[in-house]
Amino acid sequence: ALEEGAGAPPAPVGGHASRQPMQRRHTARVRLAEGLDENTDDITFGEIALDEASKKAIEPLDEDEEVVVFMPAMEFKLAHGPRRTVLYWLCRDVGTTVKINDFLDGVKEPCAYLMLLSGPIANIAMTEAFEWVPFELTWVGILWAPDAFRKLFKLNTKAVGLIIRELDFWIPFVMMCLSFFSASASFGHEAAVVQFFIEFILSFTINVLLADADLSKRKIESKGSGAFKYISMLLGATTFTVLLTFDHFPRSENRKYYFHLIYNQGEVEVVSMVARFMSTPLLFITKFIVKSLVYKGRTVII
């Protein structure tokens, strides 16, 4: 169904073909074809109509033939500028907002390189597979922060508000947090590991879950696919989960926690919970990859 007044362009709605003139009737919602029965002679529209190409496609059809067409997407407008960004919402000063965002845009490439290099180094350090990459280098994960905050500060606050109303945001976000909390428990909540997990969740939230709120002119005009960053996050999270599951982190331990519920007693293993919780964010990232490849330049959560 399409909400009334959504601003959708003229487009067709599925239903039985008919040579009779299409009627337009003011309704709150428009039902799709499955709501029509065999005795339907016309199709009811709410603030939308068939375009010329669709009319010509339907004309040669017989009375008993059916058509399957797409509903238009809901459209809306968002104002954007320095006063609409997250940084302005935090500091409430236009001049400071412009200066900080301009400075961060000027160091965009160094921040991006730091993020791309620090992630693999931190993962290798946690495996302690090489003497020249000690466990203490896990702390380089903190170098994800500059790029993450650079992107966060310029996000559109109204778009962020729309995103956090969606279950497509909260389900993977909560499951990712639970997964990394379980993973942290397997390391005994060691400080270096905890900060690495926090940085990963921060980067995942900003680069993947809040990506629709980036209304920068460069991104809008490029109309490109955001699949690369989604694939990077997918590979990173999958690699970590596999390494932890198959015990490639010497400092991790598959700890067991026991609980009592009424007259029942149970136990959970932290490594098992990591894999279970992580499967949901990975599925959502895969969905985002498909949507970004099929519908380039479109939103994936809003």
Side-chain angles (χ1 to χ4, degrees):
L2 176 69
E3 291 288 345
E4 175 187 329
V13 176
H16 289 272
S18 174
R19 299 180 186 277
Q20 298 183 9
M22 296 295 176
Q23 297 182 1
R24 297 181 66 185
R25 188 180 304 165
H26 184 79
T27 56
R29 291 177 180 267
V30 180
R31 294 188 179 276
L32 298 181
E34 58 264 23
L36 305 177
D37 56 35
E38 296 179 356
N39 299 321
T40 303
D41 293 325
D42 57 16
I43 304 173
T44 301
F45 293 89
E47 304 301 326
I48 61 176
L50 291 176
D51 57 20
E52 293 301 321
S54 299
K55 289 180 181 178
K56 292 180 180 179
I58 287 179
E59 284 178 359
L61 299 179
D62 295 331
E63 293 290 341
D64 58 346
E65 290 188 276
E66 296 182 1
V67 294
V68 178
V69 292
F70 293 100
M71 200 71 170
M74 186 173 68
E75 295 184 17
F76 49 91
K77 294 182 179 180
L78 295 177
H80 189 58
R83 293 179 182 273
R84 310 288 180 174
T85 60
V86 171
L87 182 57
Y88 177 80
W89 181 77
L90 292 172
C91 70
R92 296 296 177 180
D93 184 81
V94 178
T96 303
T97 299
V98 172
K99 289 179 180 179
I100 294 177
N101 280 335
D102 286 347
F103 170 77
L104 292 176
D105 280 339
V107 294
K108 176 174 61 177
E109 291 185 0
C111 290
Y113 287 130
L114 285 176
M115 177 184 174
L116 290 174
L117 294 175
S118 60
I121 292 174
N123 261 306
I124 295 173
M126 291 170 67
T127 64
E128 300 183 65
F130 305 99
E131 294 183 359
W132 46 274
V133 186
F135 178 80
E136 287 71 21
L137 280 179
T138 304
W139 283 100
V140 301
I142 202 170
L143 297 178
W144 284 8
D147 188 68
F149 283 110
R150 179 186 69 82
K151 295 176 180 178
L152 174 65
F153 287 159
K154 65 178 183 179
L155 296 182
N156 183 278
T157 51
K158 180 65 175 179
V160 171
L162 292 174
I163 292 172
I164 62 177
R165 298 173 191 172
E166 301 287 342
L167 285 177
D168 275 7
F169 171 84
W170 286 108
I171 293 175
F173 175 75
V174 172
M175 291 297 103
M176 181 70 79
C177 290
L178 291 174
S179 177
F180 278 125
F181 179 81
S182 301
S184 176
S186 73
F187 284 89
H189 301 294
E190 191 160 345
V193 177
V194 171
Q195 69 82 26
F196 173 76
F197 292 154
I198 291 174
E199 294 297 337
F200 190 95
I201 292 173
L202 178 66
S203 183
F204 169 75
T205 303
I206 296 171
N207 286 286
V208 177
L209 300 182
L210 297 180
D212 290 347
D214 183 1
L215 303 184
S216 61
K217 184 178 180 180
R218 177 189 58 81
K219 180 182 177 182
I220 298 299
E221 290 182 346
S222 67
K223 295 184 180 180
S225 169
F228 174 75
K229 59 184 176 183
Y230 300 144
I231 293 173
S232 300
M233 284 289 174
L234 179 66
L235 293 176
T238 302
T239 301
F240 171 81
T241 305
V242 170
L243 291 174
L244 182 66
T245 302
F246 291 97
D247 197 23
H248 286 284
F249 295 123
R251 303 201 182 196
S252 69
E253 179 183 345
N254 191 16
R255 305 172 191 271
K256 293 183 180 181
Y257 291 90
Y258 300 90
F259 64 90
H260 296 272
L261 182 62
I262 308 179
Y263 299 107
N264 299 316
Q265 179 178 347
E267 66 177 36
V268 294
E269 297 179 347
V270 291
V271 173
S272 174
M273 297 309 297
V274 170
R276 293 172 186 270
F277 286 135
M278 184 63 75
S279 62
T280 300
L282 295 182
L283 287 173
F284 272 83
I285 297 175
T286 303
K287 183 178 78 168
F288 298 157
I289 292 173
V290 174
K291 291 182 71 174
S292 63
L293 289 174
V294 176
Y295 306 107
K296 294 183 179 180
R298 304 285 186 90
T299 55
V300 296
I301 291 184
I302 298 178

